[in-house]
């Protein structure tokens, strides 16, 4: 993975039968590579990809098709997240056979309730990492996953196979400390999220994980930062002040899919029934997107 850079998870397009629309997926992956300049493409790994709605066979097919459509143009990280370490290992073996470059694994909640202990999380990641030769991206996302404290995060990042950490927190005190201890400390490359991209780069972090089309703006922020044009980087980062947070009560995936449609890059709707944008909200989102640097298809 090119550092600094963006890890970009393509959104999952569904057809009218609620099966993955492979033609739309292929076009979206081209956009992710060409316009979002993904440093790594993430397959079936985060909530934006709605993998929870897929059967195991459908999830494996999404993985294999993503790797096929990327076609070695970028490294691919395959999501193997599952509360069962045995299922995660099964997916890791599958990813390796398909030609993945790394695996991504969410720090899990206990399936029967409650936050896992530090010892449980370390044991879980050790059991999975022993069974795969691929480098690992540690994925931290409280809610769908465990709320992992700073010291446990550092211990997990120090595991031999963990080469990348994807952090979902918007807490600058946490992010700043972990950049120092993990990224600057030489344990792993530390990536954050949409709202934290520029400050992450300025503090010495390695980038962010951002879905399309927000990743297109992220790529422009990264380009301006690397060119030493801080004013342009700040101007672009400020476009994330309202987007997507103003619409996040609808969820990140519905907001990103609605934005793709506004840009003429529709990949369909979120998996039902989770698509509750009102006409008024779509109008407000459209007005805002037209004020940003996101590029409508064909321009």
């Amino acid at each position: 993975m090119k550092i600094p850079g963006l890890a970009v998870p393509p959104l999952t397009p569904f057809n009218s039968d609620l099966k993955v629309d492979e033609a739309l997926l292929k076009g979206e992956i081209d956009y992710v590579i060409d316009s979002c300049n993904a440093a790594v493409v993430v397959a079936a790994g985060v909530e934006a990809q709605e993998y929870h709605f897929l059967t195991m066979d459908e999830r494996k097919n999404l993985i294999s098709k993503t790797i096929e459509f990327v076609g070695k143009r970028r490294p691919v990280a395959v999501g193997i997240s599952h509360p069962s370490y045995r299922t995660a290992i099964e997916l890791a073996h599958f990813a390796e056979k398909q030609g993945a470059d790394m695996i991504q694994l969410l720090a899990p909640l206990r399936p029967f309730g409650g936050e896992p202990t530090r010892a449980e999380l370390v044991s879980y990641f050790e059991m999975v990492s022993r069974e795969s030769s691929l480098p690992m991206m540690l994925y931290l996302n409280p809610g769908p996953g465990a709320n992992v404290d700073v010291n446990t995060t550092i211990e997990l990042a120090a595991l031999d196979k963990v080469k990348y950490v994807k952090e979902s927190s918007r807490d600058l005190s946490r992010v700043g400390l972990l950049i120092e201890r993990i990224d600057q400390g030489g344990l792993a490359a530390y990536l954050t999220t949409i709202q934290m991209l520029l400050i992450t780069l300025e503090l010495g972090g390695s980038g962010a994980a951002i879905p399309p089309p927000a990743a297109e703006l992220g790529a422009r922020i990264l380009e301006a930062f690397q060119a030493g044009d801080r004013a342009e980087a700040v101007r672009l980062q400020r476009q994330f002040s309202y987007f997507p947070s103003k619409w996040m009560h609808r969820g990140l995936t519905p907001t990103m899919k609605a934005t793709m449609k506004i840009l003429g890059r529709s990949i369909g709707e979120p998996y039902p029934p989770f698509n509750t944008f009102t006409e008024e909200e779509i109008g407000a989102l459209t007005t805002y997107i037209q004020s940003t640097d996101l590029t409508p298809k064909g321009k």
Side-chain angles (χ1 to χ4, degrees), residues 2-5 163-165 172 174-192 196-208 222 225-226 230:
K2 182 181 178 181
I3 300 294
K163 304 300 182 185
Y164 306 89
V165 177
L172 184 55
R174 174 186 170 95
V175 167
L177 176 58
L178 291 177
I179 287 173
E180 285 298 317
R181 294 293 302 275
I182 294 174
D183 209 322
Q184 295 299 304
L187 295 180
Y190 183 85
L191 298 94
T192 58
M196 305 298 292
L197 174 56
L198 182 55
I199 190 63
T200 296
L201 297 172
E202 291 179 326
L203 292 176
S206 290
L222 185 59
F225 175 81
Q226 292 180 306
R230 189 177 187 280

Side-chain angles (χ1 to χ4, degrees), residues 11-278:
L11 303 162
T12 304
F14 295 102
N15 59 27
S16 59
D17 294 325
L18 297 181
K19 302 297 183 182
V20 175
D21 190 315
E22 294 178 5
L24 288 179
L25 178 65
K26 186 177 187 301
E28 184 191 4
I29 287 173
D30 290 341
Y31 168 67
V32 160
I33 292 171
D34 297 336
S35 297
C36 301
N37 196 23
V40 60
V41 177
V42 183
V46 301
E47 284 55 51
Q49 292 161 321
E50 300 173 288
Y51 71 90
H52 294 292
F53 300 115
L54 303 176
T55 66
M56 182 59 71
D57 285 343
E58 289 171 335
R59 186 173 176 179
K60 287 180 175 179
N61 185 62
L62 178 60
I63 289 167
S64 63
K65 287 300 179 182
T66 300
I67 293 172
E68 176 188 336
F69 295 154
V70 171
K72 300 296 184 182
R73 291 176 290 172
R74 296 291 191 277
V76 176
V78 167
I80 63 168
S81 301
H82 198 279
S84 166
Y85 78 92
R86 295 179 68 181
T87 302
I89 289 170
E90 176 188 343
L91 287 166
H93 289 163
F94 179 79
E96 195 164 354
K97 289 177 182 177
Q98 297 300 308
D101 298 282
M102 67 183 82
I103 51 178
Q104 178 182 275
L105 184 57
L106 176 70
L109 289 165
R110 286 172 168 169
F112 42 80
E115 294 286 349
T117 66
R118 182 183 303 179
E120 288 170 335
L121 284 172
V122 171
S123 179
Y124 173 85
F125 277 89
E126 286 180 335
M127 286 189 290
V128 175
S129 65
R130 279 197 299 265
E131 297 294 327
S132 175
S133 64
L134 294 175
M136 181 182 292
M137 181 181 291
L138 165 64
Y139 177 32
L140 304 172
N141 192 355
N147 187 8
V148 184
D149 64 56
V150 166
N151 289 331
T152 302
T153 300
I154 294 168
E155 186 168 347
L156 292 173
L159 294 175
D160 183 59
K161 291 287 179 61
V162 175
K163 304 300 182 185
Y164 306 89
V165 177
K166 192 288 180 195
E167 170 70 74
S168 297
S169 174
R170 279 80 170 169
D171 181 344
L172 184 55
S173 62
R174 174 186 170 95
V175 167
L177 176 58
L178 291 177
I179 287 173
E180 285 298 317
R181 294 293 302 275
I182 294 174
D183 209 322
Q184 295 299 304
L187 295 180
Y190 183 85
L191 298 94
T192 58
T193 192
I194 295 171
Q195 295 87 350
M196 305 298 292
L197 174 56
L198 182 55
I199 190 63
T200 296
L201 297 172
E202 291 179 326
L203 292 176
S206 290
I210 306 177
E216 183 185 335
L217 279 180
R220 296 185 184 205
I221 292 168
L222 185 59
E223 181 181 6
F225 175 81
Q226 292 180 306
D229 190 346
R230 189 177 187 280
E232 176 66 359
V234 168
R235 184 188 72 81
L236 292 163
Q237 181 69 57
R238 288 180 64 192
Q239 294 179 25
F240 286 137
S241 297
Y242 289 103
F243 172 73
S245 59
K246 185 176 179 179
W247 294 273
M248 280 296 285
H249 61 290
R250 297 302 184 198
L252 179 61
T253 298
T255 302
M256 293 298 103
K257 285 192 171 181
T259 305
M260 291 286 278
K261 183 179 290 187
I262 290 166
L263 294 172
R265 302 181 181 277
S266 180
I267 53 166
E269 304 296 331
Y271 202 93
F274 305 107
N275 182 29
T276 51
F277 267 76
T278 66

